[in-house]
Amino acid sequence: MKSDMTRLRLLSHGLRALSTDGLSGVTLGRLAEAASLSKSGLFAHFRSKQQLEIALLYEAARSAHGHVVEPAMDAPAGLPQLQALVERWLGWPMRAGLPGGCPIAAALFELDDREGEVREHVAALEREWRLLLGSLVASAVALGHLRKGTDLDQFVWELCGIYLSHHVSARFLRDPSAEEHARLAFGALLRRSGATSPA
Amino acid sequence: MKSDMTRLRLLSHGLRALSTDGLSGVTLGRLAEAASLSKSGLFAHFRSKQQLEIALLYEAARSAHGHVVEPAMDAPAGLPQLQALVERWLGWPMRAGLPGGCPIAAALFELDDREGEVREHVAALEREWRLLLGSLVASAVALGHLRKGTDLDQFVWELCGIYLSHHVSARFLRDPSAEEHARLAFGALLRRSGATSPA
DNA sequence: GGATAATACGACCGATCGTACTATTCTAGC
DNA sequence: GCTAGAATAGTACGATCGGTCGTATTATCC
């Protein structure tokens, strides 16, 4: 359908806006203008601002999956896959063609004190993401790449901290050594977990 | 002066609003109503929305200093002081009476793709904060509490990651084990840096 | 105590917000 | 090619945004 094409265009422009302006920064008027559509025409696609926000967040997750998860799955299972995923994870928005930062990371701070449907969807995405990370760590443990008895939740928790710290130092502080800091931190986390072959 | 009282009341209400709603969520109308003041009366105190935002951010930093830095300075210099500061740092907004999360952490993600004066003030605050953290780590190294040769910048970078991950898991995910994760992560970071007396 | 400046008020500005309702244009199936 | 229904445009709405205005009140200082 023609409508699907338009919807894709809207999601594309909306995702770009989301990455720079955050959820509350994406407005129907601006998005309509960016996508060369009337505001009411845009509004007809999503039946409310909330629905648009949710759609954009899922589009962000879809893009992350395509740019981060899928290519990382080419690596051998276990530690190499985990390392490949982390490498693709850090700074993925830029490689996905987004002009701003990670929309989901930003949403974690924008919605932390807001209730409602949007928050629940972000929470679901974040929980799913951490489950994926945990399963990759578990595989590395099962394959003997990481020490048996490794605290999976703790590993994932600290890995998320590395991602967030990288986001802040790279995007806000514009520290050119953000990548290096993240690499060192991840390496230390691996070593602590008994990685046999450090990258 | 009477005006100073009003200004303090405005900053107090504004800081609360800032912690839950973020910079763009604080509006002149709502703040005026919360502080029982007319919008124009409020506007007379700060000459623009930007000036209000900057004043609120400095108020947040002032509050953090009072609730985090000052009490931590009672601890003996070196590692104990660093540990005391981290303990007070995590979750300080609640202990400061704020209903939401850390306004500065939120600003790091809200302003990462926005230029202007407000961003520069947040950047200055953040840089100053990291300098403080670095100096405490340096003291711990100088006093022999941490290994000589400890990478100060890397330590601070990872510590900030712990703070951010704690913020997300405690405030957004509402994970009751956020404190425990942070404690474990900080302990591991200390151990890696050769701490002789783990807490 | 009276001049003066600070402070607060209410009304209002143009712009934009999200959303609703009504045309109009377009497209798909016959 | 016609027509039904989808897709888009148009218009308007009430609310709120940051901000300005003139005016009234209130402190402050000589």
Side-chain angles (χ1 to χ4, degrees):
Chain A
M1 286 194 244
K2 178 70 176 303
S3 164
D4 291 356
M5 287 296 190
T6 305
R7 187 187 171 91
L8 286 182
R9 186 161 43 96
L10 290 172
L11 288 178
S12 172
H13 282 98
L15 185 54
R16 275 199 282 275
L18 181 63
S19 81
T20 60
D21 304 331
L23 282 169
S24 67
V26 176
T27 70
L28 299 176
R30 277 208 294 265
L31 179 53
E33 191 182 16
S36 303
L37 205 71
S38 70
K39 202 167 73 158
S40 51
L42 183 158
F43 191 79
H45 277 270
F46 315 90
R47 307 187 319 184
S48 72
K49 174 79 190 303
Q50 269 205 10
Q51 294 297 316
L52 170 62
E53 291 179 349
I54 293 169
L56 288 177
L57 286 164
Y58 276 94
E59 177 67 10
R62 207 183 60 81
S63 178
H65 197 270
H67 287 86
V68 179
V69 181
E70 283 176 14
M73 286 308 153
D74 293 342
L79 184 55
Q81 220 168 61
L82 177 62
Q83 287 175 312
L85 185 116
V86 170
E87 273 171 31
R88 308 255 178 184
W89 187 20
L90 297 170
W92 74 268
M94 191 180 62
R95 287 188 296 275
L98 298 182
C102 172
I104 298 183
L108 294 178
F109 285 83
E110 187 174 354
L111 303 181
D112 58 353
D113 292 296
R114 215 171 86 187
E115 301 300 325
E117 202 180 338
V118 184
R119 181 192 212 284
E120 294 311 313
H121 280 279
V122 175
L125 286 172
E126 181 66 10
R127 275 192 286 264
E128 192 183 358
W129 178 255
R130 292 180 182 228
L131 279 179
L132 170 67
L133 290 178
S135 75
L136 288 187
V137 179
S139 290
V141 171
L143 292 172
H145 300 158
L146 293 180
R147 190 187 357 261
K148 282 205 188 328
T150 295
D151 187 334
L152 297 184
D153 285 345
Q154 183 67 22
F155 191 106
V156 170
W157 193 93
E158 294 191 30
L159 185 50
C160 289
I162 292 172
Y163 180 72
L164 293 171
S165 194
H166 174 268
H167 192 287
V168 167
S169 65
R171 294 214 60 81
F172 185 87
L173 298 174
R174 293 168 182 165
D175 182 351
S177 56
E179 311 287 336
E180 178 68 5
H181 282 303
R183 218 182 51 77
L184 286 173
F186 184 50
L189 179 57
L190 287 180
R191 228 170 301 120
R192 213 176 96 215
S193 307
T196 52
S197 60
Chain B
M1 287 193 244
K2 178 67 175 303
S3 163
D4 290 357
M5 287 298 189
T6 305
R7 187 186 170 90
L8 286 182
R9 186 160 43 94
L10 290 172
L11 289 177
S12 172
H13 282 99
L15 184 54
R16 275 199 282 275
L18 181 62
S19 80
T20 60
D21 304 330
L23 282 168
S24 67
V26 177
T27 70
L28 299 176
R30 277 207 295 265
L31 178 53
E33 192 181 16
S36 303
L37 206 70
S38 70
K39 202 168 70 161
S40 50
L42 184 157
F43 193 82
H45 279 269
F46 315 90
R47 306 188 318 183
S48 72
K49 174 79 191 304
Q50 269 205 10
Q51 292 297 316
L52 170 62
E53 291 179 348
I54 293 169
L56 288 178
L57 286 164
Y58 276 94
E59 177 67 10
R62 207 182 59 81
S63 178
H65 197 271
H67 286 87
V68 179
V69 181
E70 284 177 13
M73 285 308 154
D74 292 342
L79 183 55
Q81 220 167 62
L82 177 62
Q83 287 175 311
L85 186 117
V86 170
E87 273 171 31
R88 307 254 179 184
W89 187 20
L90 298 170
W92 74 268
M94 192 180 63
R95 286 189 295 276
L98 298 182
C102 173
I104 297 183
L108 294 177
F109 285 83
E110 188 174 354
L111 303 182
D112 58 353
D113 292 296
R114 214 171 85 188
E115 300 300 326
E117 202 180 339
V118 183
R119 182 192 212 283
E120 293 310 314
H121 280 280
V122 175
L125 286 172
E126 180 67 11
R127 274 192 286 265
E128 192 182 357
W129 178 256
R130 292 180 181 229
L131 278 179
L132 171 66
L133 291 178
S135 74
L136 289 187
V137 179
S139 290
V141 170
L143 292 172
H145 300 158
L146 293 180
R147 189 184 3 258
K148 281 206 189 327
T150 295
D151 187 334
L152 297 184
D153 284 346
Q154 183 68 23
F155 191 106
V156 169
W157 193 93
E158 295 192 29
L159 185 50
C160 289
I162 292 173
Y163 180 72
L164 293 171
S165 194
H166 175 268
H167 192 287
V168 166
S169 65
R171 294 215 60 82
F172 185 87
L173 298 174
R174 293 168 183 165
D175 182 351
S177 56
E179 310 288 336
E180 179 67 6
H181 282 304
R183 217 181 52 77
L184 287 174
F186 184 49
L189 179 57
L190 287 181
R191 228 171 301 120
R192 211 176 99 215
S193 307
T196 51
S197 61

